[in-house]
PDB file of all heavy atoms in Angstrom:
ATOM      1  N   VAL O 967      -7.009  38.142  49.000  1.00  0.00           N
ATOM      2  CA  VAL O 967      -8.097  38.219  48.043  1.00  0.00           C
ATOM      3  C   VAL O 967      -9.227  39.036  48.664  1.00  0.00           C
ATOM      4  O   VAL O 967      -9.671  38.723  49.771  1.00  0.00           O
ATOM      5  CB  VAL O 967      -8.585  36.824  47.633  1.00  0.00           C
ATOM      6  CG1 VAL O 967      -9.750  36.929  46.666  1.00  0.00           C
ATOM      7  CG2 VAL O 967      -7.461  36.014  47.066  1.00  0.00           C
ATOM      8  N   VAL O 968      -9.643  40.085  47.966  1.00  0.00           N
ATOM      9  CA  VAL O 968     -10.680  40.959  48.475  1.00  0.00           C
ATOM     10  C   VAL O 968     -11.910  40.817  47.611  1.00  0.00           C
ATOM     11  O   VAL O 968     -11.841  40.701  46.396  1.00  0.00           O
ATOM     12  CB  VAL O 968     -10.199  42.428  48.478  1.00  0.00           C
ATOM     13  CG1 VAL O 968     -11.281  43.340  48.998  1.00  0.00           C
ATOM     14  CG2 VAL O 968      -8.918  42.571  49.249  1.00  0.00           C
ATOM     15  N   GLY O 969     -13.069  40.807  48.233  1.00  0.00           N
ATOM     16  CA  GLY O 969     -14.311  40.751  47.483  1.00  0.00           C
ATOM     17  C   GLY O 969     -15.022  39.425  47.646  1.00  0.00           C
ATOM     18  O   GLY O 969     -14.495  38.474  48.233  1.00  0.00           O
ATOM     19  N   ASN O 970     -16.221  39.376  47.126  1.00  0.00           N
ATOM     20  CA  ASN O 970     -17.035  38.176  47.208  1.00  0.00           C
ATOM     21  C   ASN O 970     -16.635  37.211  46.084  1.00  0.00           C
ATOM     22  O   ASN O 970     -16.695  37.570  44.913  1.00  0.00           O
ATOM     23  CB  ASN O 970     -18.528  38.579  47.077  1.00  0.00           C
ATOM     24  CG  ASN O 970     -19.446  37.383  47.261  1.00  0.00           C
ATOM     25  OD1 ASN O 970     -19.006  36.270  47.472  1.00  0.00           O
ATOM     26  ND2 ASN O 970     -20.735  37.646  47.171  1.00  0.00           N
ATOM     27  N   PRO O 971     -16.206  36.011  46.438  1.00  0.00           N
ATOM     28  CA  PRO O 971     -15.771  35.075  45.388  1.00  0.00           C
ATOM     29  C   PRO O 971     -16.932  34.545  44.541  1.00  0.00           C
ATOM     30  O   PRO O 971     -16.718  33.922  43.530  1.00  0.00           O
ATOM     31  CB  PRO O 971     -15.125  33.954  46.183  1.00  0.00           C
ATOM     32  CG  PRO O 971     -15.791  33.973  47.515  1.00  0.00           C
ATOM     33  CD  PRO O 971     -16.126  35.425  47.757  1.00  0.00           C
ATOM     34  N   GLY O 972     -18.180  34.820  44.927  1.00  0.00           N
ATOM     35  CA  GLY O 972     -19.339  34.320  44.181  1.00  0.00           C
ATOM     36  C   GLY O 972     -19.532  32.833  44.474  1.00  0.00           C
ATOM     37  O   GLY O 972     -19.237  32.348  45.540  1.00  0.00           O
ATOM     38  N   ILE O 973     -19.989  32.139  43.480  1.00  0.00           N
ATOM     39  CA  ILE O 973     -20.258  30.709  43.669  1.00  0.00           C
ATOM     40  C   ILE O 973     -18.987  29.935  43.430  1.00  0.00           C
ATOM     41  O   ILE O 973     -18.244  30.198  42.490  1.00  0.00           O
ATOM     42  CB  ILE O 973     -21.410  30.272  42.743  1.00  0.00           C
ATOM     43  CG1 ILE O 973     -21.877  28.868  43.085  1.00  0.00           C
ATOM     44  CG2 ILE O 973     -21.033  30.398  41.294  1.00  0.00           C
ATOM     45  CD1 ILE O 973     -23.202  28.511  42.481  1.00  0.00           C
ATOM     46  N   SER O 974     -18.707  28.995  44.276  1.00  0.00           N
ATOM     47  CA  SER O 974     -17.471  28.239  44.180  1.00  0.00           C
ATOM     48  C   SER O 974     -17.607  27.122  43.149  1.00  0.00           C
ATOM     49  O   SER O 974     -18.700  26.646  42.835  1.00  0.00           O
ATOM     50  CB  SER O 974     -17.131  27.624  45.538  1.00  0.00           C
ATOM     51  OG  SER O 974     -18.031  26.579  45.833  1.00  0.00           O
ATOM     52  N   PRO O 975     -16.471  26.672  42.613  1.00  0.00           N
ATOM     53  CA  PRO O 975     -16.490  25.538  41.661  1.00  0.00           C
ATOM     54  C   PRO O 975     -17.120  24.283  42.295  1.00  0.00           C
ATOM     55  O   PRO O 975     -17.797  23.524  41.625  1.00  0.00           O
ATOM     56  CB  PRO O 975     -15.023  25.298  41.330  1.00  0.00           C
ATOM     57  CG  PRO O 975     -14.349  26.601  41.609  1.00  0.00           C
ATOM     58  CD  PRO O 975     -15.130  27.220  42.737  1.00  0.00           C
ATOM     59  N   LEU O 976     -16.890  24.129  43.579  1.00  0.00           N
ATOM     60  CA  LEU O 976     -17.458  22.964  44.281  1.00  0.00           C
ATOM     61  C   LEU O 976     -18.989  23.026  44.264  1.00  0.00           C
ATOM     62  O   LEU O 976     -19.657  22.037  43.989  1.00  0.00           O
ATOM     63  CB  LEU O 976     -16.941  22.909  45.717  1.00  0.00           C
ATOM     64  CG  LEU O 976     -17.384  21.727  46.552  1.00  0.00           C
ATOM     65  CD1 LEU O 976     -16.850  20.442  45.932  1.00  0.00           C
ATOM     66  CD2 LEU O 976     -16.882  21.877  47.973  1.00  0.00           C
ATOM     67  N   MET O 977     -19.523  24.227  44.514  1.00  0.00           N
ATOM     68  CA  MET O 977     -20.986  24.392  44.508  1.00  0.00           C
ATOM     69  C   MET O 977     -21.542  24.163  43.123  1.00  0.00           C
ATOM     70  O   MET O 977     -22.611  23.578  42.951  1.00  0.00           O
ATOM     71  CB  MET O 977     -21.364  25.772  45.030  1.00  0.00           C
ATOM     72  CG  MET O 977     -22.858  25.983  45.179  1.00  0.00           C
ATOM     73  SD  MET O 977     -23.680  24.758  46.241  1.00  0.00           S
ATOM     74  CE  MET O 977     -23.069  25.203  47.819  1.00  0.00           C
ATOM     75  N   ILE O 978     -20.832  24.624  42.085  1.00  0.00           N
ATOM     76  CA  ILE O 978     -21.272  24.393  40.699  1.00  0.00           C
ATOM     77  C   ILE O 978     -21.340  22.893  40.416  1.00  0.00           C
ATOM     78  O   ILE O 978     -22.327  22.414  39.849  1.00  0.00           O
ATOM     79  CB  ILE O 978     -20.334  25.103  39.715  1.00  0.00           C
ATOM     80  CG1 ILE O 978     -20.518  26.625  39.837  1.00  0.00           C
ATOM     81  CG2 ILE O 978     -20.623  24.661  38.270  1.00  0.00           C
ATOM     82  CD1 ILE O 978     -19.486  27.414  39.069  1.00  0.00           C
ATOM     83  N   LEU O 979     -20.333  22.156  40.841  1.00  0.00           N
ATOM     84  CA  LEU O 979     -20.331  20.701  40.629  1.00  0.00           C
ATOM     85  C   LEU O 979     -21.478  20.024  41.374  1.00  0.00           C
ATOM     86  O   LEU O 979     -22.122  19.118  40.840  1.00  0.00           O
ATOM     87  CB  LEU O 979     -19.008  20.103  41.042  1.00  0.00           C
ATOM     88  CG  LEU O 979     -17.840  20.350  40.097  1.00  0.00           C
ATOM     89  CD1 LEU O 979     -16.527  19.880  40.717  1.00  0.00           C
ATOM     90  CD2 LEU O 979     -18.071  19.645  38.776  1.00  0.00           C
ATOM     91  N   VAL O 980     -21.733  20.469  42.580  1.00  0.00           N
ATOM     92  CA  VAL O 980     -22.850  19.875  43.353  1.00  0.00           C
ATOM     93  C   VAL O 980     -24.180  20.162  42.655  1.00  0.00           C
ATOM     94  O   VAL O 980     -25.017  19.284  42.528  1.00  0.00           O
ATOM     95  CB  VAL O 980     -22.825  20.425  44.799  1.00  0.00           C
ATOM     96  CG1 VAL O 980     -24.116  20.036  45.534  1.00  0.00           C
ATOM     97  CG2 VAL O 980     -21.614  19.896  45.553  1.00  0.00           C
TER      98      VAL O 980
END
Side-chain angles (χ1 to χ4, degrees):
V967 179
V968 180
N970 184 359
I973 190 164
S974 71
L976 183 63
M977 185 56 70
I978 291 171
L979 285 172
V980 169

